[in-house]
Amino acid sequence: MKLKRSLPETTTATPSTMGSEIKPPASGILTSPDRLRKIDQLREKNIDVILPLPTLVAVGDQSSGKSSLLESVTGIPFPRGQELCTRYATQITHRRDPEVQIIITIIPAPQSTEAEKATLRSYRKELSSTAELRDQFAKILDEVNVYMKIKTDKNPEGEKTFSRDILKIEKCGPTEDYLTVIDVPGIFRLTSKGQTTESDRNLVRDMVTGFIKDKRTIILAVLPANVDVMTQEILALAEQYDPDGERTLGVLTKPDLVIERSAKEAVCNLVTGRKKALNLGYYLVKNRGGDDDDDSKDDSGIRRKERDLFQQSPWCNLPQERVGVAALRERLQDLLGEITDKAYPELRSEARKKLAEAREQQDALGPPRQTEREQQQYLAQIAAKFQQIVRAALEANYSTHSVFDEHCLRLITQVVGIVDTFNNRMRRDGHTYSFVKVDTGESIDESANQADDSEEDDDSEEDDLPVDDAEYDAVQRDAANRIIIREYFPELESIINTRERPKFAVKRDNSNWIRNMYLESRGIELGTFSPIVLASAFRDQTTKWGPITEYHLSDIIVRIHAFILGILKTICADGKLYEAIKSIIMDDLLARYAKGMDHAKYLVQVEREKKPYTVNHYFSSNLQKARGDRVSEALKGKRTYDSRCHSPAAYVVKFDHVKSAITNKSNQEHAQDDIHDILKSYYKVSRKRFVDNVWLYAVDHHLLSGPNSPLTLFSEQWVLGLDEDSLNAIAGESRSTRDKRRELTKKIADLEEALRILK
């Protein structure tokens, strides 16, 4: 703690001035009495539970004289006796009011149950005068001990030695000054067998630190003058929470018990700041002792004894403004006014901040949902928000919600990337055997002049397609999916393919495969082959379509599932609501995923099991081109350059060579070539049709935008179809939520009232 630099100019106490009423300075003790009145109004409405208010707290070791000091400062006649040491905090509030009365109530500890709070709050005593309080106070304290369950000789059924509940005494009257002082139990180092425990010691210490740690609290460190202050734990504790000593004021009690001259000198050194100085200094007071007469109806006798004591040496040499209860009370009022002026604008700012936080917490709970209608409206709002995000995700409108800052939730972008990978994989790896590449010897210019209405053979080199970045990402995604499914989505294991994706290699012995199939399947045909051969060849060539498609749908389903659960978790107010919705929709979600997968398998079956057929004119174009390419290949070695031709293709072939190119093959060779060319032309059309159909029907219709897609499940219509029990299970408030809502509602009302008072 900082040493006080200098004491104010002092006046030596004289018999004529000692103990007399000290007048305030010309500027007035309080810079704003109206503010103290408002602080008192806040405390009256228990706003101090939310906002720490400027206050004075008397702390000290047991038997340091705190309760007696409080009696001297406040005028509340506490009963005396060794068995009546403070077992709980006592808050004494002076409030200016036209009616003279004393009101005694109990403020429950925050840890109390609702039933305990109701019982404690039910206690209330109203008295008309201090004299009446003096007569009934001992009995009132016995009643309070029963309510707080404090164990005493008169209440052996009590369960506690100390309590966190607060006894509140309000002293009202037209001449009362605005002052609030809190007395807390005295700290102690050693426990007493059968009376106090280590737990009691820690509880008292926690109570003391709970009051003194706030920066708006003036710490009244009460120290017996007949004990070395260096042994008083309270000073070290105060220094821990007020290291600069700006809020700590020392009050020395029991000066009449100081006998030795050296001890008196040590006390004087404290008061004058020459030893263990505090910024706010020390005050020396004499309180009522245990043997003082209690018959007087006021404290005139005690004040006379105090005046007589302080007329003696060495006390008479101390500064007048540092000696006596009247001087201390005036200084306390002055300090309370100062910290109130300093805290007043901060209180308004903190009240606004806490009000905004409370409203935000209340909004996070959503609207009240006690009745079926409230629950339905609440859940329908969440479903509507979910569908709004779904629409934005399908339209790639990612600026509408912050949830899309997570790129993994950009659904349609993820899906399109997976579909592109599927298309590329089907082009490169979808066929079992590679098709023969016919070298026609055409120049680049000749290829460029092909007819536009013939589908270009864009995958004549499909076996040589490189593994692009998207394909590499797909391999990485496949490994990641297996981890995600195993750890987060085990419910999908029965629907999707979780096995490690194999390498779909393409076999190169196309000619041998077609020749063997023809020889093993031919019948009695004249210059042709059985349609069964083509159907069998197509089934063999599309063997990998099933597993490739199954892995493709698995990727799509995992992305959709992660999206749905991710959005649900984002928009649900708490984990309980999220888990409830997830639990109820999960079976229907899985059923819809299964329908999408089943439809993809159905498309594979239709393409592979039905007889090959198409009305797509590209089939004819591709077949004619393939047959023409074979003739061109046969004539490539017989062409000659003709210098008379000026076209880009300046080559000519003799007519006889053309005739021999067409007729020099056996029936078997013609059949094999036809099977290859027809299969290649049909496979190309079928594969593109199949990829489009998988996207259109299995992915888009069944999994994305169809009326029964998983994305449309959690909707307002779904909410309207829930029965009362399901609604309550999902949207009904738990007891903790109801208690939290009730607490926030009261807190918001209190803070609004606080801001009204602080205007």
Side-chain angles (χ1 to χ4, degrees), residues 421-435:
T421 300
F422 173 63
N423 182 44
N424 292 334
R425 179 169 286 159
M426 286 291 292
R427 284 184 61 194
R428 189 184 62 247
D429 301 327
H431 44 291
T432 306
Y433 298 92
S434 62
F435 290 105

Side-chain angles (χ1 to χ4, degrees), residues 80-293:
R80 295 185 302 284
Q82 295 298 322
E83 75 282 359
L84 293 175
C85 63
T86 306
R87 301 295 186 181
Y88 40 78
T90 302
Q91 174 182 310
I92 302 176
T93 297
H94 293 258
R95 179 158 54 89
R96 188 162 296 175
D97 193 87
E99 182 180 358
V100 177
Q101 61 176 341
I102 298 174
I103 304 171
I104 301 177
T105 55
I106 300 175
I107 303 175
Q111 300 88 344
S112 304
T113 65
E114 290 302 318
E116 290 171 339
K117 288 180 180 179
T119 300
L120 292 168
R121 286 169 179 156
S122 68
Y123 184 82
R124 182 180 178 89
K125 285 288 183 181
E126 295 185 9
L127 306 168
S128 59
S129 66
T130 303
E132 186 179 0
L133 175 63
R134 180 180 292 106
D135 294 338
Q136 300 187 30
F137 208 177
K139 179 182 177 183
I140 289 173
L141 292 181
D142 289 338
E143 295 173 351
V144 169
N145 287 336
V146 173
Y147 272 77
M148 292 188 183
K149 300 180 181 179
I150 299 294
K151 186 176 182 179
T152 63
D153 292 340
K154 295 181 180 180
N155 184 38
E157 295 82 11
E159 304 171 356
K160 310 173 187 175
T161 305
F162 295 91
S163 174
R164 291 184 182 273
D165 303 320
I166 300 174
L167 177 65
K168 183 178 181 181
I169 304 174
E170 294 180 88
K171 190 177 181 183
C172 309
T175 61
E176 291 293 334
D177 292 318
Y178 292 102
L179 180 66
T180 294
V181 184
I182 297 176
D183 178 29
V184 294
I187 59 177
F188 55 94
R189 300 181 184 86
L190 302 177
T191 59
S192 300
K193 187 175 181 180
Q195 296 182 0
T196 57
T197 64
E198 186 67 21
S199 177
D200 293 332
R201 191 177 76 87
N202 293 333
L203 173 61
V204 170
R205 188 179 181 89
D206 288 345
M207 290 171 61
V208 172
T209 57
F211 278 104
I212 69 175
K213 65 183 180 181
D214 189 76
K215 64 182 181 180
R216 299 190 183 115
T217 298
I218 294 295
I219 304 171
L220 305 182
V222 182
L223 308 163
N226 62 327
V227 177
D228 185 359
V229 296
M230 302 302 294
T231 66
Q232 298 294 291
E233 186 179 359
I234 192 60
L235 278 182
L237 194 62
E239 186 173 2
Q240 180 179 346
Y241 293 95
D242 181 29
D244 294 331
E246 296 178 350
R247 301 186 289 111
T248 304
L249 185 146
V251 181
L252 299 169
T253 63
K254 305 179 182 181
D256 52 317
L257 300 182
V258 182
I259 305 301
E260 296 180 0
R261 178 178 297 178
S262 60
K264 292 181 179 179
E265 183 179 353
V267 172
C268 291
N269 288 337
L270 289 172
V271 176
T272 56
R274 289 193 290 268
K275 179 182 178 183
K276 193 64 177 179
L278 298 172
N279 276 5
L280 297 181
Y282 288 87
Y283 282 74
L284 185 65
V285 298
K286 182 188 183 308
N287 302 317
R288 185 192 299 271
D291 297 329
D292 287 331
D293 184 16

Side-chain angles (χ1 to χ4, degrees), residues 111 125 210 294 306 401 414 419 465 632 716:
Q111 300 88 344
K125 285 288 183 181
D294 196 31
E306 181 186 55
H401 201 284
Q414 296 277 330
V419 171
L465 288 173
S632 297
E716 293 173 270

Side-chain angles (χ1 to χ4, degrees), residues 311-331:
Q311 288 176 354
Q312 301 174 15
S313 178
W315 315 128
C316 60
N317 298 319
L318 293 175
Q320 175 182 332
E321 65 273 14
R322 294 278 171 176
V323 175
V325 170
L328 174 63
R329 180 182 175 87
E330 183 175 318
R331 179 58 175 148

